[in-house]
mmCIF file of all heavy atoms in Angstrom:
data_model
loop_
_atom_site.group_PDB
_atom_site.id
_atom_site.type_symbol
_atom_site.label_atom_id
_atom_site.label_comp_id
_atom_site.label_asym_id
_atom_site.label_seq_id
_atom_site.Cartn_x
_atom_site.Cartn_y
_atom_site.Cartn_z
ATOM 1 N N ASP A 1 -1.058 -5.396 8.836
ATOM 2 C CA ASP A 1 -2.168 -4.456 8.978
ATOM 3 C C ASP A 1 -3.513 -5.101 8.654
ATOM 4 O O ASP A 1 -4.535 -4.429 8.623
ATOM 5 C CB ASP A 1 -1.955 -3.229 8.097
ATOM 6 C CG ASP A 1 -1.958 -3.558 6.605
ATOM 7 O OD1 ASP A 1 -2.049 -4.755 6.242
ATOM 8 O OD2 ASP A 1 -1.858 -2.621 5.784
ATOM 9 N N GLY A 2 -3.514 -6.418 8.430
ATOM 10 C CA GLY A 2 -4.741 -7.134 8.142
ATOM 11 C C GLY A 2 -5.081 -7.241 6.674
ATOM 12 O O GLY A 2 -6.085 -7.866 6.322
ATOM 13 N N THR A 3 -4.271 -6.658 5.791
ATOM 14 C CA THR A 3 -4.552 -6.752 4.363
ATOM 15 C C THR A 3 -4.376 -8.191 3.895
ATOM 16 O O THR A 3 -3.295 -8.767 4.059
ATOM 17 C CB THR A 3 -3.601 -5.844 3.560
ATOM 18 O OG1 THR A 3 -3.739 -4.504 4.016
ATOM 19 C CG2 THR A 3 -3.905 -5.923 2.068
ATOM 20 N N PRO A 4 -5.411 -8.801 3.324
ATOM 21 C CA PRO A 4 -5.270 -10.197 2.879
ATOM 22 C C PRO A 4 -4.212 -10.347 1.800
ATOM 23 O O PRO A 4 -4.066 -9.504 0.920
ATOM 24 C CB PRO A 4 -6.664 -10.538 2.337
ATOM 25 C CG PRO A 4 -7.581 -9.526 2.942
ATOM 26 C CD PRO A 4 -6.770 -8.276 3.088
ATOM 27 N N ILE A 5 -3.471 -11.442 1.890
ATOM 28 C CA ILE A 5 -2.486 -11.772 0.863
ATOM 29 C C ILE A 5 -2.962 -12.964 0.039
ATOM 30 O O ILE A 5 -3.092 -12.886 -1.176
ATOM 31 C CB ILE A 5 -1.114 -12.085 1.489
ATOM 32 C CG1 ILE A 5 -0.581 -10.870 2.249
ATOM 33 C CG2 ILE A 5 -0.118 -12.517 0.409
ATOM 34 C CD1 ILE A 5 0.722 -11.130 2.983
ATOM 35 N N THR A 6 -3.221 -14.069 0.725
ATOM 36 C CA THR A 6 -3.647 -15.273 0.016
ATOM 37 C C THR A 6 -4.274 -16.232 1.015
ATOM 38 O O THR A 6 -4.222 -16.021 2.225
ATOM 39 C CB THR A 6 -2.457 -15.949 -0.702
ATOM 40 O OG1 THR A 6 -2.938 -16.982 -1.561
ATOM 41 C CG2 THR A 6 -1.480 -16.549 0.290
ATOM 42 N N SER A 7 -4.873 -17.267 0.495
ATOM 43 C CA SER A 7 -5.424 -18.346 1.308
ATOM 44 C C SER A 7 -4.972 -19.661 0.689
ATOM 45 O O SER A 7 -5.006 -19.823 -0.539
ATOM 46 C CB SER A 7 -6.951 -18.271 1.339
ATOM 47 O OG SER A 7 -7.496 -19.284 2.151
ATOM 48 N N VAL A 8 -4.514 -20.583 1.535
ATOM 49 C CA VAL A 8 -4.033 -21.873 1.039
ATOM 50 C C VAL A 8 -4.776 -22.991 1.752
ATOM 51 O O VAL A 8 -5.057 -22.907 2.954
ATOM 52 C CB VAL A 8 -2.514 -22.027 1.249
ATOM 53 C CG1 VAL A 8 -1.752 -21.050 0.376
ATOM 54 C CG2 VAL A 8 -2.127 -21.847 2.702
ATOM 55 N N ASN A 9 -5.113 -24.021 1.017
ATOM 56 C CA ASN A 9 -5.772 -25.190 1.595
ATOM 57 C C ASN A 9 -4.714 -26.190 2.051
ATOM 58 O O ASN A 9 -3.747 -26.463 1.334
ATOM 59 C CB ASN A 9 -6.698 -25.838 0.571
ATOM 60 C CG ASN A 9 -7.889 -24.962 0.238
ATOM 61 O OD1 ASN A 9 -8.454 -24.302 1.112
ATOM 62 N ND2 ASN A 9 -8.276 -24.940 -1.030
ATOM 63 N N ILE A 10 -4.902 -26.722 3.243
ATOM 64 C CA ILE A 10 -3.953 -27.675 3.816
ATOM 65 C C ILE A 10 -4.739 -28.883 4.304
ATOM 66 O O ILE A 10 -5.727 -28.745 5.032
ATOM 67 C CB ILE A 10 -3.155 -27.059 4.980
ATOM 68 C CG1 ILE A 10 -2.524 -25.729 4.571
ATOM 69 C CG2 ILE A 10 -2.075 -28.029 5.451
ATOM 70 C CD1 ILE A 10 -1.798 -25.024 5.692
ATOM 71 N N ALA A 11 -4.292 -30.059 3.909
ATOM 72 C CA ALA A 11 -4.960 -31.290 4.314
ATOM 73 C C ALA A 11 -4.865 -31.475 5.822
ATOM 74 O O ALA A 11 -3.997 -30.909 6.492
ATOM 75 C CB ALA A 11 -4.320 -32.478 3.595
ATOM 76 N N GLY A 12 -5.747 -32.295 6.355
ATOM 77 C CA GLY A 12 -5.640 -32.653 7.753
ATOM 78 C C GLY A 12 -4.270 -33.230 8.054
ATOM 79 O O GLY A 12 -3.793 -34.117 7.332
ATOM 80 N N ASN A 13 -3.603 -32.716 9.078
ATOM 81 C CA ASN A 13 -2.242 -33.105 9.468
ATOM 82 C C ASN A 13 -1.190 -32.744 8.423
ATOM 83 O O ASN A 13 -0.041 -33.181 8.528
ATOM 84 C CB ASN A 13 -2.154 -34.604 9.768
ATOM 85 C CG ASN A 13 -3.049 -35.014 10.915
ATOM 86 O OD1 ASN A 13 -3.123 -34.326 11.920
ATOM 87 N ND2 ASN A 13 -3.743 -36.135 10.750
ATOM 88 N N GLY A 14 -1.562 -31.950 7.438
ATOM 89 C CA GLY A 14 -0.637 -31.616 6.362
ATOM 90 C C GLY A 14 0.120 -30.331 6.616
ATOM 91 O O GLY A 14 -0.094 -29.623 7.607
ATOM 92 N N THR A 15 1.027 -30.019 5.701
ATOM 93 C CA THR A 15 1.837 -28.805 5.782
ATOM 94 C C THR A 15 1.961 -28.186 4.403
ATOM 95 O O THR A 15 1.752 -28.845 3.376
ATOM 96 C CB THR A 15 3.254 -29.095 6.323
ATOM 97 O OG1 THR A 15 3.874 -30.089 5.500
ATOM 98 C CG2 THR A 15 3.216 -29.583 7.754
ATOM 99 N N THR A 16 2.340 -26.918 4.398
ATOM 100 C CA THR A 16 2.669 -26.250 3.143
ATOM 101 C C THR A 16 3.767 -25.238 3.411
ATOM 102 O O THR A 16 3.843 -24.667 4.506
ATOM 103 C CB THR A 16 1.443 -25.559 2.518
ATOM 104 O OG1 THR A 16 1.747 -25.132 1.193
ATOM 105 C CG2 THR A 16 1.011 -24.352 3.336
ATOM 106 N N ALA A 17 4.652 -25.040 2.433
ATOM 107 C CA ALA A 17 5.740 -24.068 2.531
ATOM 108 C C ALA A 17 5.510 -22.994 1.480
ATOM 109 O O ALA A 17 5.232 -23.294 0.314
ATOM 110 C CB ALA A 17 7.093 -24.743 2.330
ATOM 111 N N ILE A 18 5.634 -21.730 1.898
ATOM 112 C CA ILE A 18 5.384 -20.604 1.003
ATOM 113 C C ILE A 18 6.576 -19.656 1.087
ATOM 114 O O ILE A 18 6.946 -19.200 2.178
ATOM 115 C CB ILE A 18 4.097 -19.853 1.384
ATOM 116 C CG1 ILE A 18 2.912 -20.823 1.468
ATOM 117 C CG2 ILE A 18 3.797 -18.763 0.367
ATOM 118 C CD1 ILE A 18 1.649 -20.185 1.978
ATOM 119 N N ALA A 19 7.166 -19.342 -0.069
ATOM 120 C CA ALA A 19 8.302 -18.438 -0.111
ATOM 121 C C ALA A 19 7.845 -16.999 0.046
ATOM 122 O O ALA A 19 6.725 -16.627 -0.329
ATOM 123 C CB ALA A 19 9.059 -18.611 -1.424
ATOM 124 N N ALA A 20 8.727 -16.172 0.594
ATOM 125 C CA ALA A 20 8.403 -14.763 0.801
ATOM 126 C C ALA A 20 8.024 -14.075 -0.499
ATOM 127 O O ALA A 20 7.129 -13.221 -0.523
ATOM 128 C CB ALA A 20 9.584 -14.055 1.455
ATOM 129 N N ALA A 21 8.685 -14.431 -1.595
ATOM 130 C CA ALA A 21 8.372 -13.790 -2.873
ATOM 131 C C ALA A 21 6.936 -14.053 -3.303
ATOM 132 O O ALA A 21 6.310 -13.219 -3.964
ATOM 133 C CB ALA A 21 9.349 -14.269 -3.945
ATOM 134 N N ALA A 22 6.391 -15.211 -2.940
ATOM 135 C CA ALA A 22 5.003 -15.517 -3.277
ATOM 136 C C ALA A 22 4.028 -14.717 -2.424
ATOM 137 O O ALA A 22 2.858 -14.565 -2.793
ATOM 138 C CB ALA A 22 4.747 -17.011 -3.101
ATOM 139 N N LEU A 23 4.507 -14.209 -1.280
ATOM 140 C CA LEU A 23 3.647 -13.431 -0.388
ATOM 141 C C LEU A 23 3.763 -11.930 -0.627
ATOM 142 O O LEU A 23 2.768 -11.207 -0.553
ATOM 143 C CB LEU A 23 4.001 -13.745 1.065
ATOM 144 C CG LEU A 23 3.809 -15.190 1.510
ATOM 145 C CD1 LEU A 23 4.390 -15.399 2.896
ATOM 146 C CD2 LEU A 23 2.333 -15.568 1.478
ATOM 147 N N PHE A 24 4.971 -11.455 -0.898
ATOM 148 C CA PHE A 24 5.208 -10.017 -1.000
ATOM 149 C C PHE A 24 5.545 -9.550 -2.410
ATOM 150 O O PHE A 24 5.686 -8.341 -2.628
ATOM 151 C CB PHE A 24 6.338 -9.609 -0.048
ATOM 152 C CG PHE A 24 6.028 -9.859 1.401
ATOM 153 C CD1 PHE A 24 6.571 -10.952 2.058
ATOM 154 C CD2 PHE A 24 5.194 -9.012 2.115
ATOM 155 C CE1 PHE A 24 6.301 -11.187 3.400
ATOM 156 C CE2 PHE A 24 4.914 -9.238 3.452
ATOM 157 C CZ PHE A 24 5.464 -10.331 4.097
ATOM 158 N N GLY A 25 5.708 -10.481 -3.355
ATOM 159 C CA GLY A 25 6.065 -10.084 -4.708
ATOM 160 C C GLY A 25 7.440 -9.443 -4.740
ATOM 161 O O GLY A 25 8.402 -9.961 -4.174
#
């Protein structure tokens, strides 16, 4: 619905993995 959850910084050509619990509690 557009509600912000979080913002993560990612290096150029980089990746990040985020677990569902970190997004939805």
